Amino acid sequence: MGRLVGILVAVVVAVLGMPAPAQGTGGGALVRTDHGVVRGTVEETVRVFQGIPYAAPPGDALRWRAPQPARPWRGTLDATAPRESCAQPASAVGNPQSFNEDCLYLNVTAPRRGHRLPVMVWIHGGAYTNGNGASYDARKLAVEGDVLVVTINYRLGAFGFLTLPGLSGNLGLADQQAALRWVRRNAAAFGGDPGRVTIFGESAGGGSVCMHLASPTATGLFHRAIAQSYGCSWAIPTVAAAEQAGAAFATRAGCPDAAADCLRRVPVADLLRAWTGGGPAAGGEIVPVQPAEALRTDRFHHVPLLMGSTLDEMRLFVSLANDALGRPVTPEGYEQTVRTAYGARAEEVLRRYPVAAYPTPSIALSTVQTDFGTQRSTCEHLRTYRAAAARPFAVAVYAYQFVDRTAPPLVDVPGFDEGAEHASELSFLFPNIFGRALTPAQETLSAAMVRYWANFARTGNPNGARLPAWHRFRSAERVQSLGLGPAGIHPADIAGPSNCDFWLG
C-alpha cells in the first residue's frame, strides 16, 4: 500500500509540476524543491534556507536578457548561508560594493512547524541600486506572525533597469516576477500556501509593488500587496525617456553605438561607474502604462492593499545631502530650493512653511518635501489611497502613518534630529536591521505591527484579536497612526497637518 501511495504521489507531482517533499523532512532541514533538495538550518522556532537559486546566473551572454530557469542540481544544495548581493556600488547607508552578477537567489524563513501558511515575499529597497534580501532577518515576522517569509535578490542599477532599443528594460522587475513564480511552484514544500501570497516592500521595494499592481505579466502571482514609503501615483520615466538616458549611459560606458554586444563586454566595475541612477520605465510588456494611469482606468490587479509612509520621510534624504556632509541647509538655501522646486507656488509654500517655525532650515525643507513633492510624500500617498479606494472598482485599502520619532534611524547623523524618517519602520518588522535594539515600548509597537502585517497576509484584513481597530480607508481621517504607548495606535488625519488640500487642490 505504501509503495502504491508513493507511486501516486510521484505521478501527481510529475503531472502538476509540483515539488515532492523530501522523505522524512517534516519540519526538518531538508526540503525538495522543483530543482532539487536543499538543506537549511533548523533552529528552536524556525527553519531558515538561504541562497536558493530561482533563476540562472544572468551574466555573460545572459546579461540584459530576461531571467532564465535555474539548472537543477544533483545531491543536496547547501542552503545554510546567503549568497552575494547583486552588482552594486557602495552606498551612503552602508551597503558594500559588489561586482557579482551571479545573484538571483532567495531566502526562506519558515516557522518550525506549519502547513499552508500565508506567504510574504519581501522586495528590498535601495533606490533600485543597492541592497539585498539576506540583510532582512525575517525570524520575528515568521514566528510571531506565523507566516512563511521569502526575501529575494534582483538585478540592480544598469543590470536591472537599463532601457535601450533591442534590450529589455525593467529586468529587475522581471527577476522579481521570476522569484514569485518560484514561490508559486515551491511554497507548499516549505509549509506555505501558494494561494495566499503577499508581496511587500519598502522604498524601491514599495515602488516595485506598485509596478506589479499595474503589470499584466504579474497576473496570478500574488493575492495581496503592501507598499511602504512609495506612492503608486508618482509618475515614472517613459520608455522613450529611459532610452535617452540609456544611450547616454552606453556612451559613458564606452559603447557610443549602444550595441548590446559591446555592453556585454564591458567590465562590471566600469558599468557601475557609468550608471547615474534610474529605475522602472512605463511602456512595454511588464509595465505598459503609468501605475497612476492603471489605478485611474482600472488596469490594476484588484487585491487588498496595505500602504503607508513615515511621519518625517524626507529627513533622511535632506540630512544625507546636507547635514551629513557638514553643510546643513541655510535659510537662504531653503528659500532657493523651495523656489526652484515649486515655481509659481513658491510664495505660498514659503508662507505656509516659514523657516523660522522650524528648529533648523534642514527640518523646514524636509517638512515641505515630506508633505509633497516626491514619491515618498504624505500627500502623494493620500492620492494613491484615494485612487485605489475609488468606486466603482474600489479595493480594500488599509493606510498607515508610522510616527515614532525615537525609532532607530537608517543613518544617525550627529546633531540632526532624524525623527520618524524614511525606513525607520523597518526595525519594527526586521529586528536590529540598523544595529540598534528596540526599547520595551517600541517592542510593543513592533509586536502589533508584525501581527497587523501577518493578519493582512492571512486574510486581506490587518485586524485581529487584542489589536486596536484598523479601519478601511475611506477618508484622510481614517489612516492608522502607528506610535508608542497605550494610545499610540489610533485613526488620525494626515491631510490637515500636511496641507494636502493645498498641495492636491
Side-chain angles (χ1 to χ4, degrees), residues 194-214:
R196 285 190 296 174
V197 174
T198 297
I199 54 173
F200 72 133
E202 183 268 347
S203 194
S208 297
V209 169
C210 294
M211 304 307 133
H212 296 310
L213 284 169

Side-chain angles (χ1 to χ4, degrees), residues 308-319:
S309 61
T310 69
L311 181 63
D312 304 303
E313 285 279 354
M314 292 303 294
R315 289 194 190 185
L316 171 67
F317 303 96
V318 170
S319 67

Side-chain angles (χ1 to χ4, degrees), residues 96-361:
Q97 180 175 255
S98 170
F99 298 134
N100 176 54
E101 290 186 83
D102 180 6
C103 65
L104 299 186
Y105 296 87
L106 53 77
N107 316 287
V108 179
T109 304
R112 182 73 182 272
R113 292 287 188 273
H115 177 63
R116 299 195 68 79
L117 299 172
V119 181
M120 302 186 71
V121 181
W122 175 251
I123 305 172
H124 70 77
Y128 302 107
T129 302
N130 294 99
N132 62 76
S135 295
Y136 297 85
D137 182 352
R139 288 172 174 85
K140 181 173 186 175
L141 190 54
V143 174
E144 296 185 12
D146 199 28
V147 296
L148 187 148
V149 184
V150 180
T151 64
I152 66 174
N153 289 353
Y154 56 94
R155 279 175 283 183
L156 301 166
F159 303 92
F161 296 98
L162 173 64
T163 302
L164 283 171
L167 286 181
S168 297
N170 292 333
L171 287 174
L173 300 178
D175 293 343
Q176 295 168 16
Q177 293 182 5
L180 289 170
R181 293 185 183 93
W182 183 96
V183 168
R184 185 169 60 184
R185 299 191 308 269
N186 292 284
F190 294 86
D193 182 356
R196 285 190 296 174
V197 174
T198 297
I199 54 173
F200 72 133
E202 183 268 347
S203 194
S208 297
V209 169
C210 294
M211 304 307 133
H212 296 310
L213 284 169
S215 174
T217 55
T219 300
L221 296 182
F222 62 94
H223 311 92
R224 340 212 188 281
I226 301 174
Q228 300 172 211
S229 295
Y230 194 104
C232 294
S233 295
W234 186 257
I236 61 173
T238 63
V239 165
E243 286 180 347
Q244 286 187 332
F249 160 81
T251 298
R252 291 193 299 273
C255 298
D257 58 356
D261 288 345
C262 175
L263 286 166
R264 290 190 177 107
R265 291 193 296 270
V266 177
V268 170
D270 293 343
L271 295 172
L272 292 176
R273 281 192 292 270
W275 186 252
T276 58
E285 180 183 25
I286 296 177
V287 187
V289 299
Q290 293 280 349
E293 177 72 2
L295 288 173
R296 188 182 68 81
T297 60
D298 193 17
R299 297 168 67 181
F300 69 102
H301 298 297
H302 288 198
V303 299
L305 303 176
L306 191 156
M307 316 179 91
S309 61
T310 69
L311 181 63
D312 304 303
E313 285 279 354
M314 292 303 294
R315 289 194 190 185
L316 171 67
F317 303 96
V318 170
S319 67
L320 288 178
N322 299 278
D323 298 70
L325 302 178
R327 48 173 189 261
V329 178
T330 64
E332 296 77 18
Y334 168 70
E335 180 176 344
Q336 180 180 349
T337 301
V338 168
R339 292 192 182 283
T340 300
Y342 299 104
R345 308 181 81 182
E347 288 295 339
E348 179 63 15
V349 173
L350 292 170
R351 188 184 68 78
R352 289 174 180 266
Y353 299 84
V355 68
Y358 299 92
T360 68

